[in-house]
Amino acid sequence: MHIEQHILDKVNEWLTPTFDVDTQNQIKEMMTTSPKNLEESFYKNLEFGTGGMRGIMGVGTNRINKYTLGKNTQGISDYLKKSFPGEALKVVIAYDCRHNSDTLGKVVADVFSANGIKVYLFSEMRPTPELSFALKHLNCHAGIVLTASHNPPEYNGYKVYWQDGGQLVPPQDEEIIQVIEDLKYSEIKFEANNSLIEYIDTEIDNAFVDSTIANASFNTSANAKANLKIVYTSLHGTSIKSVPSVLAKAGYTDVNIVPEQAEPNGDFPTVVSPNPEEPEALTMALALAEKLHADIVFGTDPDSDRLGVAVRDNNNKMILLNGNQTMVVMTNYLLEQWKKANRLNGKQFIGSTIVSTPMMLELASAYGVECKVGLTGFKWIAKFIKDFPELQFIGGGEESFGFMVGDAVRDKDAVGAILLMCEIAAQAKENKSSVHQYLQQMYVDFGFYKEYLISITKKGIEGANEIKQMMIDMRDNPVAEINGQRVIMVEDYLNSTAKNLLSGETENLTIPKSDVLIYYLEDGSKICARPSGTEPKIKFYFSVNTAIENLEEIPAAEAYLDQKITTIISEMQLN
C-alpha cells in the first residue's frame, strides 16, 4: 500500500537512536508485516480531547507510549517553570488498573523529577477523583492521572489537572499543547532524580475518605443506613480502593461486592466494556441484587469517575437509571438539603453541560439558584467554580454518568456520588418511599423529561473522515422540520452562532468553540450532534418533554415520549 511521505518522515525519525532498540524493532516489524497498522500508528499526533489524551498503546505518534507521554510531560515541565517562576514546583501523579499504567506513571514521574520538579506518586492505583483531591490537599501546581476511563483494554490515557484541581482548560491547554508540539523527542529528560519522587498512599486516602463523607452525608439515621441493602461492583477498576472504605466509615453496613469483578484487572474479563453507561456492564451486579433482594446497585468505570445506578421500580423490579436521571435526583436532593438548612441566598449555582437534560434549568429556577451550562466534559463545570469564586457550587453533572458533590474534588466523582445516592435511597426507604418514586414525583413537579443517546462508531482514518463529513452535511443543510415540528433554533458551537430560523436573527454564543450542533424544535425537543472527544464515535443526544399533573399520568406520558424519540430517530435516518 502507498504511505504518504509525511507519515514516512515520522517513521524514519522513530528509527533514529533517540528511540530505544525495542521501539525501532517493532516499527521495522510493522513495515514488513502490517503497513496499514504502521499508517494508523503515525498518521497524526495524539490529541487532547474532552477527557485528556487517550489512545491505543503501542509505538508511534498516534499511540500511547513512553515517548508520547514523555513529550507531554517535558512540555508541561517547561510550561510550569514559565508559569510559576521562582516557585518550588510540585506535581502529583496517579494511575488506574490498565496495562502499563504503573510503568507509564513512573516514566511521567521520572521526567518531572529530571526537570527538578517535586513529585508525589501514588504507590498503587487510585481513583481519578482522589488525584483531583490530592492535588489541592498537597498544594501542587499540577496533577496527572494515567487512565483511559472506560475505553477498551488496548487503550490508555493521560489527563492533566491544574492548580485548582480541575482539568486543563483554556488558555493553558492550547499554550501547553503548543509547547509540546514545538519539542523534539530528543529534548525529553528521562533520567529520574529519585530524591524528588515521594510515594504517597494511606495518609491521602484517609483525608479523601473523610472529605467525601463530610461533603456527601446528610443526617441519615444509623437505622436507615443499616437497612439499605447495597450491591456494588468496581468492574475490575480502581474504585475498590475507596468506595468500600467510604461506605463503611459512613455507617453503611450491608454492602455486597460482586466478587468476580472486585479484583483490578486491565483486561476487564467479565464485561464487554467496563462502562457503566452500557447496561451489559451491570449484568452480574443485577443478578446479585436479585439474589439478595438488594435495594440499590452501583457500578463504576475503571478510574472511578462515572457511576451506573439501578433501583427498584414500583413493581419491585430492578431498573437502570440513565445519567440524566441520576443527575437530577442528586441535584434536587442537594437543593432540598441546602434549602432546609437555610443555605440558599441566591449566591449558589449548579452545573451541567449543553448535551445534558434541560431539566437542570427547571430545578435551578425552582430553587432560585443559577444553572451554569458548559461544553461536554467535567473540566468546564470545574472551571465555573474557579471563574465565579463569589458563588457557592452545590453540585452538578453531565449525562455521561458523572456527578460532583461540592468542590473538594474538581472532576466527576463516583465515590462521592455513590455515598450521596445511598443517603437519598436510605432516607427514602425509611420514609416508605424509594429513589424511583422520588424521581417520578420530580416529573410531576418540574416536567417529565426523557433523554436518549445514540453513538455511532467509525474507526480509523476513514471513520474520522466520515464523522467530519456528517457534521459538515448537518451544518450546510440544516433540517427545517422533524416529527412535524419546526426547527426554531440552531446552535453551532464551532462557529459560535445561534440562529433563529423563524426570525432569521443570529446571535453569538459565548461558550468556547467546539464541534457541536444543537437543533431546538418548537415543542421543546432538543437534538444535539457531536463527535466524541475521546473515542472514534459521533454521538446524537435527544431530549423530549411533556407536562403531567399527577403520578397516574406517567405511563401514558412515557409511552408518548418514547414514540416521539423513535420517530425523530427514524426521520433523521439514524436507526
Side-chain angles (χ1 to χ4, degrees), residues 220-231 247 250-256 292-298 312 316 318 421-435:
T220 305
S221 71
N223 191 51
K225 291 177 180 179
N227 285 335
L228 186 71
K229 188 177 284 290
I230 301 161
V231 164
L247 292 179
Y252 288 90
T253 54
D254 199 348
V255 179
N256 304 275
L292 301 176
H293 306 291
D295 300 301
I296 193 163
V297 168
F298 297 107
R312 294 205 177 272
N316 206 34
M318 269 287 169
M421 281 298 292
C422 285
E423 296 283 286
I424 298 168
Q427 291 180 19
K429 186 178 181 182
E430 188 175 47
N431 293 323
K432 304 292 187 277
S433 182
S434 68
V435 172

Short mmCIF file of all heavy atoms in Angstrom, two decimals, residues 220-231 247 250-256 292-298 312 316 318 421-435:
data_model
loop_
_atom_site.label_atom_id
_atom_site.label_comp_id
_atom_site.label_asym_id
_atom_site.label_seq_id
_atom_site.Cartn_x
_atom_site.Cartn_y
_atom_site.Cartn_z
N THR A 220 -28.47 11.09 57.78
CA THR A 220 -29.23 9.85 57.67
C THR A 220 -29.06 9.07 58.97
O THR A 220 -27.95 8.96 59.50
CB THR A 220 -28.72 9.00 56.48
OG1 THR A 220 -28.78 9.80 55.30
CG2 THR A 220 -29.54 7.75 56.29
N SER A 221 -30.13 8.52 59.47
CA SER A 221 -30.06 7.79 60.74
C SER A 221 -29.28 6.49 60.59
O SER A 221 -29.22 5.91 59.50
CB SER A 221 -31.47 7.48 61.24
OG SER A 221 -32.07 6.47 60.44
N ALA A 222 -28.68 6.06 61.67
CA ALA A 222 -27.92 4.80 61.66
C ALA A 222 -28.81 3.64 61.27
O ALA A 222 -28.39 2.72 60.56
CB ALA A 222 -27.29 4.57 63.03
N ASN A 223 -30.06 3.68 61.72
CA ASN A 223 -31.00 2.61 61.39
C ASN A 223 -31.30 2.57 59.89
O ASN A 223 -31.35 1.49 59.28
CB ASN A 223 -32.31 2.82 62.18
CG ASN A 223 -33.21 1.60 62.10
OD1 ASN A 223 -32.77 0.49 62.35
ND2 ASN A 223 -34.47 1.82 61.73
N ALA A 224 -31.48 3.74 59.30
CA ALA A 224 -31.76 3.81 57.86
C ALA A 224 -30.56 3.29 57.06
O ALA A 224 -30.73 2.58 56.06
CB ALA A 224 -32.08 5.24 57.45
N LYS A 225 -29.36 3.62 57.51
CA LYS A 225 -28.16 3.14 56.83
C LYS A 225 -28.05 1.62 56.91
O LYS A 225 -27.73 0.95 55.92
CB LYS A 225 -26.91 3.79 57.43
CG LYS A 225 -26.79 5.27 57.13
CD LYS A 225 -25.57 5.87 57.82
CE LYS A 225 -25.45 7.36 57.52
NZ LYS A 225 -24.30 8.00 58.18
N ALA A 226 -28.33 1.08 58.09
CA ALA A 226 -28.23 -0.37 58.29
C ALA A 226 -29.27 -1.12 57.46
O ALA A 226 -29.04 -2.27 57.05
CB ALA A 226 -28.40 -0.70 59.76
N ASN A 227 -30.41 -0.46 57.19
CA ASN A 227 -31.50 -1.12 56.47
C ASN A 227 -31.39 -1.03 54.95
O ASN A 227 -32.23 -1.59 54.24
CB ASN A 227 -32.85 -0.54 56.90
CG ASN A 227 -33.25 -1.04 58.28
OD1 ASN A 227 -32.82 -2.11 58.71
ND2 ASN A 227 -34.07 -0.26 58.98
N LEU A 228 -30.39 -0.31 54.45
CA LEU A 228 -30.22 -0.21 53.00
C LEU A 228 -29.30 -1.31 52.51
O LEU A 228 -28.13 -1.38 52.92
CB LEU A 228 -29.64 1.16 52.62
CG LEU A 228 -29.55 1.42 51.11
CD1 LEU A 228 -30.95 1.62 50.51
CD2 LEU A 228 -28.67 2.64 50.81
N LYS A 229 -29.83 -2.19 51.65
CA LYS A 229 -29.02 -3.31 51.13
C LYS A 229 -28.43 -2.88 49.78
O LYS A 229 -29.16 -2.62 48.82
CB LYS A 229 -29.87 -4.57 50.97
CG LYS A 229 -29.04 -5.81 50.62
CD LYS A 229 -29.91 -7.07 50.54
CE LYS A 229 -30.31 -7.60 51.89
NZ LYS A 229 -29.17 -8.17 52.63
N ILE A 230 -27.11 -2.81 49.74
CA ILE A 230 -26.38 -2.27 48.59
C ILE A 230 -25.61 -3.38 47.88
O ILE A 230 -24.97 -4.21 48.52
CB ILE A 230 -25.37 -1.20 49.07
CG1 ILE A 230 -26.09 -0.06 49.81
CG2 ILE A 230 -24.54 -0.65 47.90
CD1 ILE A 230 -25.16 0.78 50.69
N VAL A 231 -25.66 -3.37 46.54
CA VAL A 231 -24.77 -4.20 45.73
C VAL A 231 -23.86 -3.26 44.95
O VAL A 231 -24.32 -2.27 44.36
CB VAL A 231 -25.55 -5.12 44.76
CG1 VAL A 231 -24.62 -5.67 43.68
CG2 VAL A 231 -26.18 -6.27 45.53
N LEU A 247 -18.06 3.85 52.36
CA LEU A 247 -19.38 3.39 52.82
C LEU A 247 -19.30 2.83 54.24
O LEU A 247 -20.19 3.07 55.07
CB LEU A 247 -19.95 2.34 51.86
CG LEU A 247 -20.33 2.87 50.46
CD1 LEU A 247 -20.86 1.73 49.59
CD2 LEU A 247 -21.36 3.99 50.54
N ALA A 250 -18.88 5.66 56.67
CA ALA A 250 -20.11 6.47 56.72
C ALA A 250 -21.23 5.75 57.45
O ALA A 250 -22.26 6.36 57.77
CB ALA A 250 -20.56 6.83 55.30
N GLY A 251 -21.06 4.45 57.72
CA GLY A 251 -22.05 3.72 58.50
C GLY A 251 -22.95 2.79 57.73
O GLY A 251 -23.92 2.24 58.28
N TYR A 252 -22.64 2.54 56.46
CA TYR A 252 -23.44 1.59 55.67
C TYR A 252 -22.83 0.20 55.85
O TYR A 252 -21.69 -0.05 55.47
CB TYR A 252 -23.46 2.01 54.19
CG TYR A 252 -24.31 3.25 53.99
CD1 TYR A 252 -23.76 4.52 54.06
CD2 TYR A 252 -25.68 3.14 53.77
CE1 TYR A 252 -24.54 5.65 53.91
CE2 TYR A 252 -26.47 4.27 53.62
CZ TYR A 252 -25.90 5.52 53.70
OH TYR A 252 -26.70 6.64 53.55
N THR A 253 -23.61 -0.68 56.44
CA THR A 253 -23.07 -1.98 56.86
C THR A 253 -23.44 -3.13 55.92
O THR A 253 -22.78 -4.16 55.93
CB THR A 253 -23.59 -2.32 58.27
OG1 THR A 253 -25.02 -2.24 58.27
CG2 THR A 253 -23.02 -1.35 59.29
N ASP A 254 -24.49 -2.95 55.11
CA ASP A 254 -24.96 -4.05 54.24
C ASP A 254 -24.51 -3.79 52.80
O ASP A 254 -25.32 -3.55 51.91
CB ASP A 254 -26.48 -4.16 54.34
CG ASP A 254 -26.99 -5.52 53.86
OD1 ASP A 254 -26.20 -6.27 53.25
OD2 ASP A 254 -28.18 -5.81 54.08
N VAL A 255 -23.19 -3.84 52.59
CA VAL A 255 -22.60 -3.58 51.27
C VAL A 255 -22.10 -4.90 50.70
O VAL A 255 -21.24 -5.55 51.30
CB VAL A 255 -21.44 -2.57 51.36
CG1 VAL A 255 -20.84 -2.32 49.98
CG2 VAL A 255 -21.93 -1.26 51.98
N ASN A 256 -22.62 -5.29 49.57
CA ASN A 256 -22.31 -6.58 48.96
C ASN A 256 -21.56 -6.36 47.64
O ASN A 256 -22.12 -5.85 46.67
CB ASN A 256 -23.60 -7.36 48.71
CG ASN A 256 -24.40 -7.54 49.99
OD1 ASN A 256 -24.17 -8.46 50.74
ND2 ASN A 256 -25.34 -6.61 50.25
N LEU A 292 -30.05 -11.30 46.43
CA LEU A 292 -30.02 -10.78 47.81
C LEU A 292 -31.21 -9.88 48.13
O LEU A 292 -31.32 -9.40 49.25
CB LEU A 292 -28.72 -10.00 48.03
CG LEU A 292 -27.40 -10.75 47.85
CD1 LEU A 292 -26.23 -9.80 48.02
CD2 LEU A 292 -27.30 -11.90 48.84
N HIS A 293 -32.06 -9.62 47.12
CA HIS A 293 -33.18 -8.67 47.28
C HIS A 293 -32.65 -7.30 47.69
O HIS A 293 -33.16 -6.65 48.62
CB HIS A 293 -34.20 -9.18 48.30
CG HIS A 293 -34.70 -10.56 48.00
ND1 HIS A 293 -35.51 -10.84 46.91
CD2 HIS A 293 -34.49 -11.74 48.62
CE1 HIS A 293 -35.77 -12.15 46.89
NE2 HIS A 293 -35.16 -12.71 47.91
N ALA A 294 -31.61 -6.84 47.00
CA ALA A 294 -30.97 -5.55 47.31
C ALA A 294 -31.87 -4.39 46.90
O ALA A 294 -32.74 -4.51 46.04
CB ALA A 294 -29.63 -5.44 46.61
N ASP A 295 -31.62 -3.23 47.52
CA ASP A 295 -32.39 -2.02 47.22
C ASP A 295 -31.79 -1.21 46.08
O ASP A 295 -32.50 -0.56 45.32
CB ASP A 295 -32.44 -1.12 48.46
CG ASP A 295 -33.10 -1.80 49.64
OD1 ASP A 295 -34.27 -2.20 49.49
OD2 ASP A 295 -32.44 -1.93 50.69
N ILE A 296 -30.46 -1.23 45.98
CA ILE A 296 -29.79 -0.36 45.02
C ILE A 296 -28.49 -1.00 44.55
O ILE A 296 -27.86 -1.76 45.29
CB ILE A 296 -29.52 1.04 45.65
CG1 ILE A 296 -29.14 2.07 44.59
CG2 ILE A 296 -28.48 0.96 46.78
CD1 ILE A 296 -29.26 3.51 45.07
N VAL A 297 -28.13 -0.72 43.29
CA VAL A 297 -26.92 -1.28 42.67
C VAL A 297 -26.05 -0.13 42.15
O VAL A 297 -26.56 0.83 41.57
CB VAL A 297 -27.30 -2.21 41.49
CG1 VAL A 297 -26.07 -2.56 40.64
CG2 VAL A 297 -27.96 -3.47 41.99
N PHE A 298 -24.74 -0.26 42.36
CA PHE A 298 -23.79 0.72 41.84
C PHE A 298 -22.70 0.00 41.05
O PHE A 298 -22.23 -1.06 41.45
CB PHE A 298 -23.10 1.48 42.98
CG PHE A 298 -24.02 2.31 43.82
CD1 PHE A 298 -24.34 1.91 45.11
CD2 PHE A 298 -24.58 3.48 43.32
CE1 PHE A 298 -25.19 2.67 45.90
CE2 PHE A 298 -25.43 4.24 44.10
CZ PHE A 298 -25.74 3.85 45.40
N ARG A 312 -35.06 -0.13 42.42
CA ARG A 312 -36.30 -0.89 42.23
C ARG A 312 -37.43 0.05 41.84
O ARG A 312 -37.59 1.12 42.42
CB ARG A 312 -36.65 -1.66 43.50
CG ARG A 312 -35.62 -2.75 43.80
CD ARG A 312 -36.17 -3.89 44.63
NE ARG A 312 -35.14 -4.91 44.79
CZ ARG A 312 -34.93 -5.91 43.93
NH1 ARG A 312 -35.71 -6.05 42.87
NH2 ARG A 312 -33.96 -6.79 44.15
N ASN A 316 -41.26 -3.47 42.07
CA ASN A 316 -40.15 -4.14 42.75
C ASN A 316 -39.14 -4.75 41.77
O ASN A 316 -38.37 -5.64 42.12
CB ASN A 316 -40.67 -5.23 43.70
CG ASN A 316 -39.68 -5.50 44.83
OD1 ASN A 316 -39.01 -4.59 45.30
ND2 ASN A 316 -39.59 -6.75 45.23
N MET A 318 -35.81 -4.38 39.33
CA MET A 318 -34.60 -3.56 39.21
C MET A 318 -34.55 -2.90 37.83
O MET A 318 -34.66 -3.57 36.81
CB MET A 318 -33.35 -4.42 39.38
CG MET A 318 -32.85 -4.52 40.81
SD MET A 318 -32.09 -2.97 41.33
CE MET A 318 -31.94 -3.26 43.09
N MET A 421 -26.00 9.03 46.75
CA MET A 421 -27.16 8.22 46.34
C MET A 421 -27.60 7.28 47.47
O MET A 421 -28.80 7.01 47.63
CB MET A 421 -26.84 7.41 45.09
CG MET A 421 -26.90 8.21 43.80
SD MET A 421 -28.53 8.91 43.40
CE MET A 421 -29.48 7.44 43.06
N CYS A 422 -26.65 6.80 48.25
CA CYS A 422 -27.02 5.95 49.40
C CYS A 422 -27.82 6.76 50.42
O CYS A 422 -28.78 6.24 51.00
CB CYS A 422 -25.76 5.38 50.05
SG CYS A 422 -24.98 4.05 49.12
N GLU A 423 -27.43 8.00 50.66
CA GLU A 423 -28.17 8.86 51.57
C GLU A 423 -29.62 9.04 51.08
O GLU A 423 -30.58 8.94 51.85
CB GLU A 423 -27.49 10.22 51.69
CG GLU A 423 -26.10 10.18 52.29
CD GLU A 423 -26.11 10.03 53.80
OE1 GLU A 423 -26.43 11.00 54.51
OE2 GLU A 423 -25.81 8.92 54.29
N ILE A 424 -29.76 9.30 49.79
CA ILE A 424 -31.09 9.50 49.21
C ILE A 424 -31.92 8.23 49.34
O ILE A 424 -33.09 8.27 49.76
CB ILE A 424 -30.97 9.92 47.73
CG1 ILE A 424 -30.22 11.25 47.60
CG2 ILE A 424 -32.36 10.03 47.07
CD1 ILE A 424 -29.80 11.60 46.17
N ALA A 425 -31.32 7.10 48.97
CA ALA A 425 -32.04 5.82 48.99
C ALA A 425 -32.40 5.40 50.41
O ALA A 425 -33.52 4.91 50.66
CB ALA A 425 -31.20 4.74 48.32
N ALA A 426 -31.47 5.58 51.34
CA ALA A 426 -31.72 5.17 52.73
C ALA A 426 -32.84 5.99 53.36
O ALA A 426 -33.73 5.45 54.04
CB ALA A 426 -30.43 5.30 53.56
N GLN A 427 -32.81 7.30 53.12
CA GLN A 427 -33.85 8.15 53.68
C GLN A 427 -35.20 7.88 53.03
O GLN A 427 -36.24 7.88 53.71
CB GLN A 427 -33.45 9.63 53.52
CG GLN A 427 -32.28 10.03 54.40
CD GLN A 427 -31.88 11.49 54.23
OE1 GLN A 427 -32.66 12.29 53.72
NE2 GLN A 427 -30.66 11.83 54.63
N ALA A 428 -35.19 7.64 51.72
CA ALA A 428 -36.45 7.33 51.04
C ALA A 428 -37.06 6.04 51.58
O ALA A 428 -38.26 5.96 51.86
CB ALA A 428 -36.22 7.22 49.53
N LYS A 429 -36.22 5.01 51.74
CA LYS A 429 -36.72 3.72 52.24
C LYS A 429 -37.28 3.88 53.65
O LYS A 429 -38.32 3.30 53.99
CB LYS A 429 -35.60 2.68 52.21
CG LYS A 429 -36.08 1.27 52.58
CD LYS A 429 -34.97 0.24 52.49
CE LYS A 429 -35.51 -1.15 52.83
NZ LYS A 429 -34.43 -2.17 52.80
N GLU A 430 -36.59 4.66 54.47
CA GLU A 430 -37.05 4.88 55.85
C GLU A 430 -38.43 5.57 55.85
O GLU A 430 -39.24 5.34 56.75
CB GLU A 430 -36.03 5.74 56.60
CG GLU A 430 -36.34 5.87 58.09
CD GLU A 430 -35.24 6.62 58.83
OE1 GLU A 430 -34.80 7.68 58.33
OE2 GLU A 430 -34.81 6.13 59.89
N ASN A 431 -38.69 6.36 54.81
CA ASN A 431 -39.96 7.07 54.70
C ASN A 431 -40.98 6.32 53.85
O ASN A 431 -41.93 6.91 53.32
CB ASN A 431 -39.73 8.47 54.12
CG ASN A 431 -38.95 9.35 55.06
OD1 ASN A 431 -39.12 9.28 56.27
ND2 ASN A 431 -38.05 10.17 54.51
N LYS A 432 -40.76 4.99 53.70
CA LYS A 432 -41.67 4.12 52.94
C LYS A 432 -41.79 4.55 51.47
O LYS A 432 -42.84 4.39 50.84
CB LYS A 432 -43.07 4.11 53.59
CG LYS A 432 -43.08 3.70 55.06
CD LYS A 432 -42.70 2.22 55.22
CE LYS A 432 -42.88 1.75 56.66
NZ LYS A 432 -41.72 2.08 57.51
N SER A 433 -40.71 5.11 50.94
CA SER A 433 -40.68 5.53 49.54
C SER A 433 -39.49 4.85 48.87
O SER A 433 -38.97 3.85 49.37
CB SER A 433 -40.59 7.06 49.46
OG SER A 433 -40.61 7.48 48.11
N SER A 434 -39.02 5.41 47.73
CA SER A 434 -37.88 4.85 47.01
C SER A 434 -37.28 5.92 46.12
O SER A 434 -37.89 6.97 45.87
CB SER A 434 -38.31 3.66 46.14
OG SER A 434 -39.15 4.12 45.07
N VAL A 435 -36.10 5.66 45.61
CA VAL A 435 -35.46 6.58 44.67
C VAL A 435 -36.34 6.75 43.43
O VAL A 435 -36.50 7.85 42.90
CB VAL A 435 -34.05 6.08 44.27
CG1 VAL A 435 -33.46 6.94 43.14
CG2 VAL A 435 -33.11 6.08 45.47
#
